[in-house]
Amino acid sequence: MGQEPYVGLATTFDTAAELYQRARPGYPRQLFADLAASAGLGTAGARVLEVGTGTGQATRGLLDRGWSVVTLEPGRELAAVARRVLAGHGDVDVVVSPFERWEAGDQRPFDLVFAATSWHWLDPQVAYRRAAELLRPGGHLAIVATEHVSPPGGDDFFRQVQQVYDEVGMGDGQGGPKPPEAIAAPDVKAIGGSGFFAQPIVHRYVWSQDYTAEEYLALLSTYSGHIAASPWQRKTLFTGIQDMIAARPSATVRKHYLNTLQIAQRID
């Protein structure tokens, strides 16, 4: 049997929906251009099923292509915020439902099933089969994975701050983020081995964003592990981080992201 959908840490995001909207970054425009080209969806009118709306960080990029989007979000608060911020941006229907349990009804098959930084929350025993069932012949599955990375010349703050995480029992033992080249596309093996999809095409994007202490703490407050931390852990950790950033000449940190786009065609 597969795992129960939308339980445990997956439910934490719905408690911070408004903050999630303000603090979470979007995705590079080039990612959506490459998605359109690789999936053969360069023209308007494609039908997309998005898995895991959040508050629409990736949905905007889909709508900007002129595509029609049904987007599934299991968190009611997140979905409510998404409906508000996406209103007027295109043909979009935000549905409150876990992907594994969504009933498509009389929906026509989709051209694309798309998941941005959400696929890892799904039950793989269900997700690949379900995606294939919802796609038209020749349709595509696209999964975006997101990692915090440290390229050459990256900000050393994220290595230094590990001491604070260790002090509150939230260290991961990694010593800070890895360089982008050390991170493989995480879903390639599972996609190709699912029996439902061909080997995926992979695109990678490394980019950065600067944060003040306030902005960075707001971002951390949308991460599941930080939301679930005890009050003492959060207070001690956030105070330490705030002091470290305030002591820097720029009073900011620069976080580098790696987005990995993995696109595979359904096997018919």
Side-chain angles (χ1 to χ4, degrees), residues 147-163:
E147 293 279 354
H148 178 193
V149 295
S150 181
D155 196 330
D156 198 45
F157 168 84
F158 300 101
R159 181 187 61 80
Q160 298 167 353
V161 79
Q162 294 307 307
Q163 180 181 347

Side-chain angles (χ1 to χ4, degrees), residues 175-254:
K178 298 178 181 178
E181 60 272 17
I183 298 176
D187 303 295
V188 165
K189 185 176 180 180
I191 294 170
S194 69
F196 298 105
F197 295 94
Q199 282 297 119
I201 298 168
V202 177
H203 301 273
R204 294 162 61 91
Y205 314 86
V206 177
W207 56 280
S208 66
Q209 185 162 324
D210 291 351
Y211 295 94
T212 64
E214 181 180 2
E215 291 166 341
Y216 188 60
L217 293 178
L219 177 68
L220 292 181
S221 296
T222 69
Y223 291 166
S224 59
H226 293 70
I227 297 172
S230 72
W232 172 82
Q233 286 176 311
R234 279 174 58 91
K235 180 179 180 180
T236 305
L237 178 65
F238 281 23
T239 298
I241 290 173
Q242 186 169 31
D243 290 347
M244 287 180 66
I245 297 176
R248 313 186 98 204
S250 66
T252 62
V253 295
R254 176 166 294 174

Side-chain angles (χ1 to χ4, degrees), residues 58-256:
T59 319
R60 295 173 181 83
L62 302 173
L63 294 171
D64 286 345
R65 305 298 305 185
W67 297 338
S68 175
V69 180
V70 176
T71 181
L72 308 180
E73 172 50 56
R76 291 189 177 278
E77 296 301 321
L78 290 166
V81 175
R83 289 192 187 102
R84 186 186 76 230
V85 301
L86 295 173
H89 284 271
D91 183 4
V92 59
D93 182 15
V94 180
V95 179
V96 179
S97 175
F99 173 61
E100 296 94 329
R101 291 184 175 173
W102 181 60
E103 296 292 338
D106 59 357
Q107 291 271 0
R108 291 184 292 112
F110 292 90
D111 300 299
L112 175 70
V113 172
F114 175 84
T117 321
S118 60
W119 194 259
H120 61 286
W121 292 109
L122 303 180
D123 180 356
Q125 297 183 44
V126 177
Y128 290 105
R129 173 183 53 78
R130 187 80 178 110
E133 290 171 348
L134 292 164
L135 285 166
R136 64 164 171 80
H140 289 75
L141 170 66
I143 300 171
V144 179
T146 302
E147 293 279 354
H148 178 193
V149 295
S150 181
D155 196 330
D156 198 45
F157 168 84
F158 300 101
R159 181 187 61 80
Q160 298 167 353
V161 79
Q162 294 307 307
Q163 180 181 347
V164 186
Y165 278 90
D166 291 341
E167 289 173 356
V168 299
M170 293 175 62
D172 61 8
Q174 300 297 312
K178 298 178 181 178
E181 60 272 17
I183 298 176
D187 303 295
V188 165
K189 185 176 180 180
I191 294 170
S194 69
F196 298 105
F197 295 94
Q199 282 297 119
I201 298 168
V202 177
H203 301 273
R204 294 162 61 91
Y205 314 86
V206 177
W207 56 280
S208 66
Q209 185 162 324
D210 291 351
Y211 295 94
T212 64
E214 181 180 2
E215 291 166 341
Y216 188 60
L217 293 178
L219 177 68
L220 292 181
S221 296
T222 69
Y223 291 166
S224 59
H226 293 70
I227 297 172
S230 72
W232 172 82
Q233 286 176 311
R234 279 174 58 91
K235 180 179 180 180
T236 305
L237 178 65
F238 281 23
T239 298
I241 290 173
Q242 186 169 31
D243 290 347
M244 287 180 66
I245 297 176
R248 313 186 98 204
S250 66
T252 62
V253 295
R254 176 166 294 174
K255 182 171 182 176
H256 282 83

